[in-house]
């Protein structure tokens, strides 16, 4: 129980911290992408402004004249080796191509947008189209582009670092979560252990005075007193109450001592076919089922598991007793053993009064009774199903129930194969 709680704490801690870490890494990657693009845009704009500043514009013989001879890259000067400019283009004010450097472009300008990211196999480019104004009018458009290779490589390296470090960080977080979960569960585990010791000690101490009360009542019943007289009736009531309290104390002592997983040294190979035959043949089961039809269904092959035979027998006895008590006379109760490929099922099915749907989630709780008055009349303490569930879970299995009022109930023990 505590290991499961500790695993849950570590699991949710890892999920929450991992989600925060992934979101934080995503924000960092996005911010780095935006910053890289802004740096490229500033560089691109700076180059475009330098080129535009060298464009000479004037009127010759009443006509507009644009001189690009002094413009870097587009003019008469060879572009420097470190210019990074993939291409440069000059379009007239009407969008007609006038001059270019680099790959052959289309004859007319395609877009007037300022910045664009375009794919020019085998690389991605950042392009700027800059309107050039002189004397209050637009004289043309300067279009240049530089590659995004360096920025992409930087982002790729960052992504690789994140892909490598994130799993390692999540692993470290899970270990820290497991450690912190252990620290968080320690006070609860100590308190639970103290409660177990108290229950065990109190149950043990109560058995002695109960035995004394019961023995004295039984001795009193042996005295020559006519049956039915007040004294005899009171002694019978004392004896029955003492027996009921003794059963209750025994159940509490069992719950306190058998909590948690079983000691590996107590496990042995169990022939489940024989165990179920012996269980159904016990006097306690035969006594409670004397007015019922009790059927045992076993597979032909032998079914073997590792476990504690005494505890498993007690769990099955508790479930069978419960099924027989709440099945009307002449009713039927089935005990089945099913051997499946990856699990073993033990089913106890009855055609009894059934359990209301609202009570199903609580029937394995200690001291829970579906019908308080009826359960007390039948001698139940409300611990039988809790004990059965604790035994099954100690064997690494699960105990489930399905029921319908007036039609009966099906209790199923699922055990893992050894």
């Amino acid at each position: 129980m505590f290991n499961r709680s500790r695993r849950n704490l570590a699991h949710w801690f890892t999920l929450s911290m991992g989600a925060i870490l992934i979101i934080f890494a995503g924000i960092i990657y996005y911010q780095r992408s935006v910053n890289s693009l802004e740096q490229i845009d500033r560089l691109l704009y700076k180059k475009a402004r330098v080129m535009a500043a060298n464009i000479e514009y004037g009127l010759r013989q009443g006509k507009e004249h644009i001189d690009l001879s002094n413009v870097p890259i587009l003019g008469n000067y060879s572009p420097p080796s470190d210019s990074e400019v993939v291409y440069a283009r000059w379009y007239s004010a009407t969008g007609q191509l006038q001059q270019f450097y680099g790959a052959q472009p289309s004859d007319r300008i395609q877009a007037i947008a300022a910045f664009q990211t375009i794919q020019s196999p085998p690389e991605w480019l950042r392009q700027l189209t800059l309107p050039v104004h002189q004397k209050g009018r637009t004289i043309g458009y300067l279009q240049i582009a530089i590659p995004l290779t360096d920025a992409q490589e930087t982002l790729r390296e960052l992504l690789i670092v994140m892909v490598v470090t994130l799993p390692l960080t999540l692993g470290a977080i899970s270990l820290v979560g497991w450690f912190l979960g252990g620290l968080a569960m320690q006070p609860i585990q100590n308190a639970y252990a103290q409660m177990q010791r108290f229950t065990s000690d109190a149950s043990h101490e109560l058995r002695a005075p109960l035995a004394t009360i019961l023995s004295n009542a039984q001795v009193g019943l042996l005295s020559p007193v006519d049956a039915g007289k007040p004294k005899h009736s009171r002694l019978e009531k004392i004896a029955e109450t003492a027996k009921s309290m003794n059963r209750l104390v025994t159940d509490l002592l069992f719950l306190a001592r058998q909590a948690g997983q079983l000691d590996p040294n107590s496990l042995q190979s169990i022939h489940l076919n024989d165990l179920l035959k012996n269980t159904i043949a016990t006097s306690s089961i035969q006594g409670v089922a004397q007015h019922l039809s009790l059927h045992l269904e076993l597979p032909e092959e032998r079914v073997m598991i590792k476990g504690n035979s005494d505890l498993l027998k007690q769990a099955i006895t508790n479930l069978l007793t419960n099924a027989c008590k709440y099945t009307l006379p002449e009713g039927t109760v089935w005990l089945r053993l099913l051997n499946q490929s990856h699990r073993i099922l033990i089913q106890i099915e009855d055609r009894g009064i059934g359990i209301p749907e609202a009570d199903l989630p609580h029937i394995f709780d200690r001291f829970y009774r579906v019908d308080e008055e009826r359960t007390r009349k039948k001698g139940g303490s409300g611990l039988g199903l809790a004990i059965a569930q604790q035994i099954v879970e100690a064997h690494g299995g699960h105990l489930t129930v399905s029921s319908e009022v007036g039609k009966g109930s099906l209790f199923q023990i699922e055990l893992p194969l050894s």
Side-chain angles (χ1 to χ4, degrees):
M1 178 178 65
F2 292 105
N3 283 334
R4 183 168 65 250
S5 299
R6 185 179 184 181
R7 282 195 301 271
N8 289 337
L9 285 173
H11 174 75
W12 286 110
F13 178 78
T14 303
L15 281 181
S16 57
M17 293 302 295
I20 294 173
L21 184 64
I22 292 172
I23 293 173
F24 183 69
I27 292 174
I28 290 178
Y29 184 83
Y30 173 77
Q31 192 62 42
R32 179 65 65 85
S33 302
V34 172
N35 290 340
S36 298
L37 200 59
E38 287 178 352
Q39 289 178 0
I40 291 172
D41 288 347
R42 283 195 293 269
L43 175 62
L44 196 57
Y45 184 74
K46 183 178 179 180
K47 289 179 178 292
R49 293 299 300 173
V50 170
M51 294 175 66
N54 287 274
I55 297 175
E56 296 180 2
Y57 171 76
L59 295 174
R60 288 183 182 179
Q61 299 177 356
K63 294 183 178 180
E64 292 181 351
H65 176 73
I66 298 175
D67 185 6
L68 303 176
S69 59
N70 294 324
V71 178
I73 301 176
L74 282 175
N76 298 327
Y77 303 99
S78 299
S81 58
D82 60 346
S83 67
E84 298 182 348
V85 176
V86 177
Y87 59 76
R89 300 159 182 172
W90 174 258
Y91 293 92
S92 66
T94 58
Q96 189 71 30
L97 179 66
Q98 300 291 318
Q99 196 165 332
F100 70 92
Y101 160 80
Q104 173 72 44
S106 59
D107 291 337
R108 295 193 63 82
I109 194 169
Q110 299 298 314
I112 308 300
F115 290 99
Q116 283 181 290
T117 300
I118 59 176
Q119 186 178 14
S120 178
E123 59 185 350
W124 287 84
L125 305 176
R126 187 67 169 170
Q127 174 184 283
L128 168 63
T129 303
L130 180 69
V132 180
H133 304 284
Q134 287 198 21
K135 298 181 180 180
R137 59 180 300 177
T138 301
I139 63 172
Y141 298 93
L142 179 63
Q143 189 176 82
I144 63 173
I146 60 176
L148 294 174
T149 307
D150 291 342
Q152 288 178 319
E153 187 63 29
T154 301
L155 292 175
R156 188 178 298 111
E157 292 175 358
L158 176 61
L159 186 61
I160 292 173
V161 170
M162 288 182 174
V163 169
V164 172
T165 56
L166 276 177
L168 296 176
T169 307
L170 286 176
I173 288 174
S174 64
L175 292 177
V176 172
W178 178 259
F179 174 73
L180 294 177
L183 291 180
M185 293 301 298
Q186 193 62 45
I188 302 174
Q189 194 167 3
N190 292 338
Y192 186 77
Q194 291 177 357
M195 183 184 69
Q196 280 187 305
R197 286 194 296 270
F198 170 77
T199 305
S200 178
D201 295 342
S203 300
H204 181 74
E205 293 299 325
L206 282 171
R207 298 181 78 178
L210 284 173
T212 302
I213 294 171
L214 182 58
S215 61
N216 281 282
Q218 289 173 337
V219 169
L221 288 172
L222 295 175
S223 302
V225 179
D226 294 336
K229 291 295 182 69
K231 180 181 178 182
H232 188 276
S233 299
R234 283 194 293 269
L235 289 174
E236 282 186 335
K237 192 169 184 178
I238 291 172
E240 288 300 319
T241 303
K243 288 179 182 179
S244 177
M245 291 181 66
N246 193 48
R247 286 195 298 270
L248 176 60
V249 169
T250 301
D251 289 345
L252 287 172
L253 188 59
F254 175 87
L255 288 169
R257 288 178 175 174
Q258 296 297 332
Q261 294 295 317
L262 297 175
D263 183 0
N265 297 325
S266 68
L267 303 180
Q268 57 186 354
S269 294
I270 302 174
H271 192 327
L272 279 180
N273 308 60
D274 292 341
L275 179 68
L276 266 59
K277 289 178 183 177
N278 296 333
T279 301
I280 206 170
T282 57
S283 57
S284 60
I285 296 298
Q286 291 299 318
V288 76
Q290 57 184 339
H291 300 299
L292 304 172
S293 296
L294 194 55
H295 297 285
L296 176 62
E297 299 178 6
L298 300 174
E300 294 182 0
E301 70 274 10
R302 296 176 57 184
V303 181
M304 305 293 296
I305 65 165
K306 283 279 189 180
N308 187 305
S309 58
D310 293 333
L311 293 180
L312 280 176
K313 186 175 182 179
Q314 182 174 350
I316 297 168
T317 299
N318 287 1
L319 294 174
L320 270 176
T321 302
N322 189 73
C324 292
K325 282 183 177 180
Y326 296 102
T327 300
L328 299 176
E330 309 304 324
T332 305
V333 175
W334 290 269
L335 175 60
R336 302 188 188 94
L337 176 61
L338 305 174
N339 186 10
Q340 298 186 348
S341 58
H342 60 286
R343 60 179 183 171
I344 295 169
L345 300 179
I346 301 174
Q347 295 179 341
I348 296 91
E349 184 177 8
D350 63 69
R351 290 291 182 265
I353 61 176
I355 304 169
E357 185 177 354
D359 293 304
L360 285 176
H362 308 288
I363 61 170
F364 296 115
D365 296 345
R366 298 180 184 184
F367 299 108
Y368 186 82
R369 295 180 176 89
V370 176
D371 188 336
E372 188 84 15
E373 187 62 29
R374 189 167 188 169
T375 304
R376 290 192 182 278
K377 287 180 180 180
K378 292 183 177 291
S381 63
L383 293 175
L385 294 180
I387 290 174
Q389 184 188 49
Q390 186 165 300
I391 292 173
V392 172
E393 290 182 348
H395 283 80
H398 301 283
L399 176 58
T400 58
V401 59
S402 58
S403 183
E404 188 174 348
V405 175
K407 293 187 178 181
S409 304
L410 173 62
F411 286 85
Q412 179 170 282
I413 298 174
E414 179 182 334
L415 297 172
L417 287 172
S418 301

